[in-house]
């Protein structure tokens, strides 16, 4: 295997998230938004997120942002206006946010798109935890 697969789901996350994809829209937390399926790994000195985004134009319909240690991928798939017999495609907004691990150098994040998979790589550097001395005040009895 090329990288170490990371399993970082919260304890409340359902074991089979795909079971919840077909919930009625009114039961979802954010109507008209769909979850992007991701795979997180560590490869060499990088944290890597791969996201399934088939059929989406990466230059026009994918936005990646990083803020306060959280990487957010947002994509849009617009439905073509033609008569369909049946469709199982998902249209609308797709969003996924993942917390970046400690040591990620946000300014070095890169992204590429190939065959429906978005790959975001974030270099991991040394974890710097600066320390500072805390002054102690003396209370006087008056």
């Amino acid at each position: 295997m090329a990288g170490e697969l990371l399993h970082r789901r919260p304890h409340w996350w359902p074991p089979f998230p795909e079971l919840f994809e077909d919930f009625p829209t009114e039961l979802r937390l954010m109507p008209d938004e769909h979850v992007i399926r991701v795979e997180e790994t560590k490869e060499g000195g990088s944290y890597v997120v791969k996201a399934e985004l088939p059929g989406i134009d990466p230059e026009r319909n994918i936005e990646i942002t990083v803020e306060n240690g959280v990487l957010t991928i947002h994509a849009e798939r617009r439905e073509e206006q033609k008569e369909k017999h049946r469709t199982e495609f998902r249209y609308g907004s797709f969003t996924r946010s993942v917390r970046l691990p400690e040591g990620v150098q946000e300014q070095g994040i890169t992204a590429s798109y190939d065959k429906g998979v978005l790959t975001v790589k974030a270099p991991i550097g040394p974890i710097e935890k600066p320390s500072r001395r805390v002054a102690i005040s003396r209370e006087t009895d008056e």
Side-chain angles (χ1 to χ4, degrees):
M1 185 170 188
E4 169 190 347
L5 189 62
L6 302 177
H7 297 282
R8 300 185 320 139
R9 289 186 179 155
H11 68 279
W12 53 266
W13 190 258
F16 306 104
E18 60 273 1
L19 293 176
F20 295 90
E21 289 180 346
D22 294 324
F23 268 27
T25 305
E26 57 274 0
L27 294 180
R28 291 189 192 152
L29 294 176
M30 291 187 281
D32 299 328
E33 292 238 351
H34 307 290
V35 175
I36 298 170
R37 293 179 183 192
V38 298
E39 178 178 277
E40 299 173 70
T41 59
K42 279 189 179 177
E43 295 177 10
S46 294
Y47 168 72
V48 180
V49 177
K50 291 184 179 180
E52 285 185 339
L53 293 169
I56 295 179
D57 182 347
E59 294 170 358
R60 294 188 333 200
N61 299 331
I62 298 176
E63 180 180 68
I64 303 167
T65 57
V66 179
E67 185 176 354
N68 297 324
V70 177
L71 173 78
T72 300
I73 301 168
H74 179 79
E76 299 272 337
R77 181 182 294 135
R78 292 177 183 84
E79 186 171 5
E80 294 178 21
Q81 297 300 323
K82 54 177 142 174
E83 195 170 320
K84 296 177 188 73
H85 176 69
R86 181 181 102 179
T87 184
E88 293 182 1
F89 287 8
R90 298 212 185 271
Y91 296 98
S93 296
F94 300 81
T95 301
R96 184 67 181 264
S97 295
V98 293
R99 178 153 306 281
L100 297 170
E102 278 191 274
V104 163
Q105 298 170 347
E106 293 182 7
Q107 68 281 3
I109 294 175
T110 60
S112 61
Y113 183 87
D114 186 41
K115 298 178 184 160
V117 177
L118 175 71
T119 301
V120 180
K121 290 187 177 184
I124 300 174
I127 298 171
E128 297 177 17
K129 294 192 176 200
S131 63
R132 69 177 185 94
R133 187 174 185 131
V134 178
I136 302 171
S137 63
R138 185 177 291 248
E139 293 186 28
T140 58
D141 293 333
E142 290 187 36

